[in-house]
Amino acid sequence: MFTNRARVLVIGAFVIMLAVALTYKVYEIAGVTGMFILLLIWGYFKEGTIVLAAKAFHNKDYDKAEGLLKQVSNPDWLSKKRRGFYEFIYGGVCLQKSDYNEAEMHYEIAAQYPLRSANDHVAALVHVANIAVRHNNFEKAKAYLSLADKHEEKITAKMKDVIKRLHVELDKK
């Protein structure tokens, strides 16, 4: 739950602490400090700044959320749960910027990973279907809606209503 800058500063403090511990030959503290450094480096690659970006996205600060998501150097290295959430949030940011092609790509990737709840997973599928309808790709929209229908017992009434409206719109076409 650090930004990259904060992570570097904390690692720097731990490196100083490690140097002092090794100077005074306190190997126990040096070992624990080394483990904390490794934990922070592991967190950089496996967790990134996703939690902070989610908080900014929830507060509707989309520019800050996008900036925090861009701090993730390689999304492929994120853990499975974080990668899905990364793509889901990035899709939402792109949707807010009206960049529908980019949003569609991110939501498609998010649907391939486990998300917090079935409702989030269905939301990713429905977003892809909705964008496909905007692009007049009705076959793709139907395919993603059929995937969303498989989770119908686990989703909220609001999401069921959105799915129902999309089905009605697809039936008109």
Side-chain angles (χ1 to χ4, degrees):
M1 210 162 80
F2 291 111
T3 63
N4 289 348
R5 185 169 187 244
R7 195 177 300 272
V8 168
L9 291 174
V10 172
I11 288 175
F14 276 124
V15 166
I16 293 169
M17 205 163 116
L18 178 66
V20 170
L22 290 174
T23 302
Y24 288 109
K25 298 181 181 179
V26 184
Y27 299 115
E28 295 84 4
I29 292 177
V32 170
T33 305
M35 286 181 3
F36 281 134
I37 291 170
L38 290 175
L39 182 65
L40 286 166
I41 292 170
W42 176 84
Y44 169 77
F45 290 110
K46 290 294 184 182
E47 296 181 0
T49 56
I50 308 303
V51 174
L52 295 173
K55 186 174 181 180
F57 184 79
H58 181 71
N59 292 333
K60 298 184 184 346
D61 190 354
Y62 302 115
D63 293 330
K64 182 177 179 181
E66 184 177 21
L68 288 165
L69 291 173
K70 286 184 177 181
Q71 287 185 17
V72 176
S73 60
N74 191 350
D76 293 330
W77 292 348
L78 293 171
S79 67
K80 283 185 180 182
K81 285 185 179 182
R82 296 288 188 213
R83 177 66 192 272
F85 207 44
Y86 168 87
E87 298 294 346
F88 188 79
I89 295 169
Y90 220 126
V93 168
C94 291
L95 206 57
Q96 291 297 321
K97 292 170 44 180
S98 299
D99 187 358
Y100 299 114
N101 292 328
E102 193 76 17
E104 181 180 22
M105 181 195 70
H106 285 293
Y107 280 126
E108 283 177 349
I109 296 171
Q112 296 172 8
Y113 288 94
L115 294 170
R116 286 184 307 180
S117 67
N119 201 52
D120 287 345
H121 188 76
V122 171
L125 295 169
V126 169
H127 279 301
V128 173
N130 197 5
I131 293 169
V133 168
R134 284 179 182 259
H135 292 140
N136 295 322
N137 191 347
F138 302 116
E139 293 303 315
K140 184 176 185 178
K142 288 178 183 176
Y144 274 91
L145 276 180
S146 69
L147 289 172
D149 287 336
K150 292 179 182 177
H151 300 285
E152 193 168 338
E153 68 279 349
K154 300 177 188 174
I155 58 175
T156 62
K158 184 177 179 180
M159 189 59 67
K160 287 179 185 178
D161 186 47
V162 170
I163 292 171
K164 185 178 174 183
R165 279 189 269 146
L166 274 172
H167 277 297
V168 168
E169 189 166 335
L170 281 174
D171 291 340
K172 289 179 186 177
K173 309 268 178 181

